[in-house]
Amino acid sequence: SHGRNGAGTPPGQEVQLAVARGDFVLHFQPQVALPGGALVGVEALLRWRRNGSLLGPGHFLAELEESGSIREVGMWVLGQACAQLAAWRTAGAPSLRLALNLSARQLQAPEFLSALQAQLAASALPAEALDIEISERTLMLLPAEANHRLDALRALGVRLTVDGFGTGFSSPAHLVRHGI
């Protein structure tokens, strides 16, 4: 199959070219506490500058997963987001938190936990500054054996949340199975 770029580039190759060109960008959505509206955190949102448009993950996440590039792009997101959070915390927002969405493939990658610890250390961020958001779909795809990975994240101090719970097919039993 061919990518949607009109040039006939296979999707996996198109993703690799986008990574090499720096076509992926991060946007940060503020998270505020109610009442009062105090800024308490930001959510890192991945966007792809593609064919003159700025696309959200709904337009390319499947390509990243299918091509296997989700790991590489995910590590880039982790590094960029941690560096930005560290800069904001140093500049006067010392308790600001960062929310990141992760896929099942990223969570199951053997290098994920050590890469996360390395990024936290490089950015001088405490693990408690991170909120890892797992979608219902990701939760459904995680095998029971992935519990040790989630346990390790919790042991570091990372907060785990289920993004969009109740909008799909999972149930409270899935949350219990994964200790969330």
Side-chain angles (χ1 to χ4, degrees):
S1 76
H2 288 9
R4 291 176 289 238
N5 64 0
T9 306
Q13 186 178 352
E14 186 179 1
V15 168
Q16 291 300 326
L17 289 170
V19 170
R21 287 190 306 253
D23 290 347
F24 288 100
V25 295
L26 280 185
H27 288 188
F28 293 92
Q29 178 174 301
Q31 296 178 324
V32 296
L34 295 176
L39 180 66
V40 294
V42 293
E43 180 175 4
L45 304 172
L46 183 63
R47 300 292 181 255
W48 186 353
R49 288 186 297 245
R50 186 184 199 188
N51 301 327
S53 298
L54 195 61
L55 304 178
H59 295 278
F60 60 79
L61 197 56
E63 278 183 60
L64 290 180
E65 289 278 2
E66 290 164 17
S67 70
S69 297
I70 190 71
R71 287 183 180 179
E72 180 182 356
V73 173
M75 289 300 134
W76 177 84
V77 167
L78 180 63
Q80 294 293 308
C82 284
Q84 183 60 68
L85 180 66
W88 282 328
R89 286 172 71 111
T90 300
S95 61
L96 200 63
R97 300 178 62 84
L98 171 67
L100 289 172
N101 290 289
L102 295 181
S103 73
R105 186 172 290 197
Q106 288 173 279
L107 281 169
Q108 293 178 77
E111 71 278 5
F112 174 72
L113 197 57
S114 60
L116 173 68
Q117 290 174 298
Q119 286 297 338
L120 289 172
S123 303
L125 289 172
E128 294 79 16
L130 288 187
D131 294 333
I132 301 292
E133 296 184 356
I134 305 168
S135 71
E136 268 196 280
R137 180 177 180 275
T138 295
L139 192 63
M140 294 290 292
L141 293 173
L142 282 176
E145 308 84 71
N147 281 348
H148 73 280
R149 186 66 50 86
L150 299 177
D151 289 341
L153 286 170
R154 278 190 291 273
L156 282 176
V158 172
R159 185 168 69 176
L160 299 175
T161 58
V162 178
D163 189 28
F165 179 70
T167 59
F169 301 103
S170 67
S171 68
H174 286 96
L175 297 179
V176 170
R177 185 180 88 183
H178 293 294
I180 296 176

